[in-house]
Amino acid sequence: MTINYRDFIADVPDFPEKGVIFRDISPLMENGAAYSAATNDIATYAANKGVEMICGPEARGFIVGCPVAYKLGVGFAPARKKGKLPRETISVSYDLEYGQAALYMHKDAVKPGQRVLVVDDLMATGGTIAATIKLVEKLGGIVVGTAFLIELKDLHGRDKIKNYDMFTLMQY
Ligand SMILES: O=P(O)(O)OC[C@H]1O[C@H](OP(=O)(O)OP(=O)(O)O)[C@H](O)[C@@H]1O
Ligand SMILES: Nc1ncnc2[nH]cnc12
């Protein structure tokens, strides 16, 4: 059965602030067939890249990245928001479509030379994924690809990561 992923995205106008159309992935996550097809599609992309580790930003990057890591039998390294990681961290600050933020990773989360896939649910301005890539590279990881459920093309996030291969299931 072919899945039309867009059937599982809820478009919510003016959330979390006026003018933003929020692309809600929760109907996709709540549907076993759609969630597992999306996981399998990203896992196939990752396997072809020889990925040894998946990295994703809190929180929705975990929802997409962890099942891919499980499917491939590789590890998952979280990039987390301030104050969440208990051991020594490195950090990178970035801009959001609606705000400012910073992400942190444990210093030993990625090993030098490891082939890493950076995953998130959605690319908007590209700030989050660019920050996550920077964190992985600071740790010596090699970012061999990026993967998303959704790319918001009008925000040109791809320009921020144009040196990296990118896989997306949906574009708006
Ligand atoms: O491309 P960008 O402009 O950086 O935006 C995309 C990011 O924004 C959302 O996360 P958010 O920071 O809202 O956090 P959440 O996953 O915890 O909801 C989304 O899950 C991406 O990580
Ligand atoms: N428009 C959007 N919908 C869902 N998540 C987002 N994260 C940043 N922009 C978003």
Side-chain angles (χ1 to χ4, degrees), residues 45 49 116 123 129-130 133-134 137 142-146 156-167:
Y45 169 76
K49 294 268 176 199
V116 180
M123 174 190 272
I129 209 71
I133 289 172
K134 271 191 201 141
E137 290 183 341
I142 301 164
V143 176
V144 295
T146 64
H156 303 290
R158 199 179 270 251
D159 294 348
K160 285 205 181 73
I161 60 160
K162 46 177 175 281
N163 295 331
Y164 299 87
D165 195 46
M166 182 171 156
F167 176 76

